[in-house]
PDB file of all heavy atoms in Angstrom:
ATOM      1  N   HIS A 132      25.519   3.148-121.018  1.00 95.00           N
ATOM      2  CA  HIS A 132      26.688   2.473-121.595  1.00 95.00           C
ATOM      3  C   HIS A 132      27.786   2.313-120.541  1.00 95.00           C
ATOM      4  O   HIS A 132      28.454   1.294-120.486  1.00 95.00           O
ATOM      5  CB  HIS A 132      27.226   3.267-122.798  1.00 95.00           C
ATOM      6  CG  HIS A 132      26.263   3.336-123.938  1.00 95.00           C
ATOM      7  ND1 HIS A 132      26.212   4.401-124.802  1.00 95.00           N
ATOM      8  CD2 HIS A 132      25.295   2.487-124.357  1.00 95.00           C
ATOM      9  CE1 HIS A 132      25.260   4.193-125.698  1.00 95.00           C
ATOM     10  NE2 HIS A 132      24.693   3.041-125.449  1.00 95.00           N
ATOM     11  N   LYS A 159      27.006  -1.472-127.554  1.00 97.00           N
ATOM     12  CA  LYS A 159      26.252  -0.775-128.602  1.00 97.00           C
ATOM     13  C   LYS A 159      25.927  -1.707-129.764  1.00 97.00           C
ATOM     14  O   LYS A 159      24.830  -1.652-130.330  1.00 97.00           O
ATOM     15  CB  LYS A 159      27.044   0.445-129.089  1.00 97.00           C
ATOM     16  CG  LYS A 159      27.125   1.549-128.039  1.00 97.00           C
ATOM     17  CD  LYS A 159      28.182   2.595-128.392  1.00 97.00           C
ATOM     18  CE  LYS A 159      28.631   3.321-127.129  1.00 97.00           C
ATOM     19  NZ  LYS A 159      29.831   4.171-127.377  1.00 97.00           N
ATOM     20  N   TYR A 167      17.619   0.229-134.739  1.00 94.00           N
ATOM     21  CA  TYR A 167      17.553   0.332-136.198  1.00 94.00           C
ATOM     22  C   TYR A 167      16.248  -0.263-136.718  1.00 94.00           C
ATOM     23  O   TYR A 167      15.556   0.344-137.535  1.00 94.00           O
ATOM     24  CB  TYR A 167      18.753  -0.387-136.811  1.00 94.00           C
ATOM     25  CG  TYR A 167      18.810  -0.312-138.306  1.00 94.00           C
ATOM     26  CD1 TYR A 167      19.094   0.893-138.948  1.00 94.00           C
ATOM     27  CD2 TYR A 167      18.561  -1.437-139.092  1.00 94.00           C
ATOM     28  CE1 TYR A 167      19.145   0.965-140.323  1.00 94.00           C
ATOM     29  CE2 TYR A 167      18.617  -1.376-140.469  1.00 94.00           C
ATOM     30  CZ  TYR A 167      18.904  -0.171-141.077  1.00 94.00           C
ATOM     31  OH  TYR A 167      18.944  -0.098-142.450  1.00 94.00           O
ATOM     32  N   GLU A 174      10.262  -2.382-137.970  1.00 92.00           N
ATOM     33  CA  GLU A 174      10.089  -3.807-137.682  1.00 92.00           C
ATOM     34  C   GLU A 174       9.977  -4.017-136.177  1.00 92.00           C
ATOM     35  O   GLU A 174      10.391  -3.173-135.398  1.00 92.00           O
ATOM     36  CB  GLU A 174      11.297  -4.594-138.215  1.00 92.00           C
ATOM     37  CG  GLU A 174      11.483  -4.468-139.715  1.00 92.00           C
ATOM     38  CD  GLU A 174      12.780  -5.107-140.195  1.00 92.00           C
ATOM     39  OE1 GLU A 174      13.431  -5.811-139.396  1.00 92.00           O
ATOM     40  OE2 GLU A 174      13.130  -4.889-141.360  1.00 92.00           O
TER      41      GLU A 174
ATOM     42  N   HIS B 132      17.398  -2.945-148.145  1.00 95.00           N
ATOM     43  CA  HIS B 132      17.719  -4.253-147.567  1.00 95.00           C
ATOM     44  C   HIS B 132      17.563  -5.355-148.614  1.00 95.00           C
ATOM     45  O   HIS B 132      18.354  -6.283-148.668  1.00 95.00           O
ATOM     46  CB  HIS B 132      16.813  -4.548-146.364  1.00 95.00           C
ATOM     47  CG  HIS B 132      17.006  -3.602-145.221  1.00 95.00           C
ATOM     48  ND1 HIS B 132      16.007  -3.243-144.359  1.00 95.00           N
ATOM     49  CD2 HIS B 132      18.104  -2.913-144.808  1.00 95.00           C
ATOM     50  CE1 HIS B 132      16.482  -2.385-143.467  1.00 95.00           C
ATOM     51  NE2 HIS B 132      17.744  -2.171-143.718  1.00 95.00           N
ATOM     52  N   LYS B 159      21.414  -5.681-141.608  1.00 97.00           N
ATOM     53  CA  LYS B 159      20.951  -4.761-140.556  1.00 97.00           C
ATOM     54  C   LYS B 159      21.937  -4.714-139.396  1.00 97.00           C
ATOM     55  O   LYS B 159      22.190  -3.644-138.829  1.00 97.00           O
ATOM     56  CB  LYS B 159      19.560  -5.172-140.075  1.00 97.00           C
ATOM     57  CG  LYS B 159      18.476  -4.926-141.126  1.00 97.00           C
ATOM     58  CD  LYS B 159      17.166  -5.642-140.775  1.00 97.00           C
ATOM     59  CE  LYS B 159      16.335  -5.860-142.034  1.00 97.00           C
ATOM     60  NZ  LYS B 159      15.187  -6.765-141.795  1.00 97.00           N
ATOM     61  N   TYR B 167      22.427   3.822-134.432  1.00 94.00           N
ATOM     62  CA  TYR B 167      22.350   3.914-132.972  1.00 94.00           C
ATOM     63  C   TYR B 167      23.284   4.990-132.446  1.00 94.00           C
ATOM     64  O   TYR B 167      22.906   5.827-131.626  1.00 94.00           O
ATOM     65  CB  TYR B 167      22.695   2.557-132.356  1.00 94.00           C
ATOM     66  CG  TYR B 167      22.608   2.529-130.859  1.00 94.00           C
ATOM     67  CD1 TYR B 167      21.374   2.595-130.219  1.00 94.00           C
ATOM     68  CD2 TYR B 167      23.756   2.454-130.079  1.00 94.00           C
ATOM     69  CE1 TYR B 167      21.288   2.574-128.837  1.00 94.00           C
ATOM     70  CE2 TYR B 167      23.675   2.429-128.698  1.00 94.00           C
ATOM     71  CZ  TYR B 167      22.438   2.492-128.083  1.00 94.00           C
ATOM     72  OH  TYR B 167      22.361   2.477-126.718  1.00 94.00           O
ATOM     73  N   GLU B 174      27.019  10.128-131.195  1.00 92.00           N
ATOM     74  CA  GLU B 174      28.439   9.898-131.477  1.00 92.00           C
ATOM     75  C   GLU B 174      28.684   9.945-132.985  1.00 92.00           C
ATOM     76  O   GLU B 174      27.757   9.784-133.764  1.00 92.00           O
ATOM     77  CB  GLU B 174      28.852   8.514-130.944  1.00 92.00           C
ATOM     78  CG  GLU B 174      28.681   8.378-129.443  1.00 92.00           C
ATOM     79  CD  GLU B 174      28.919   6.944-128.966  1.00 92.00           C
ATOM     80  OE1 GLU B 174      29.420   6.128-129.754  1.00 92.00           O
ATOM     81  OE2 GLU B 174      28.593   6.668-127.805  1.00 92.00           O
TER      82      GLU B 174
END
Side-chain angles (χ1 to χ4, degrees):
Chain A
H132 296 150
K159 291 166 203 170
Y167 182 70
E174 299 173 10
Chain B
H132 296 149
K159 290 166 203 169
Y167 182 70
E174 299 172 12

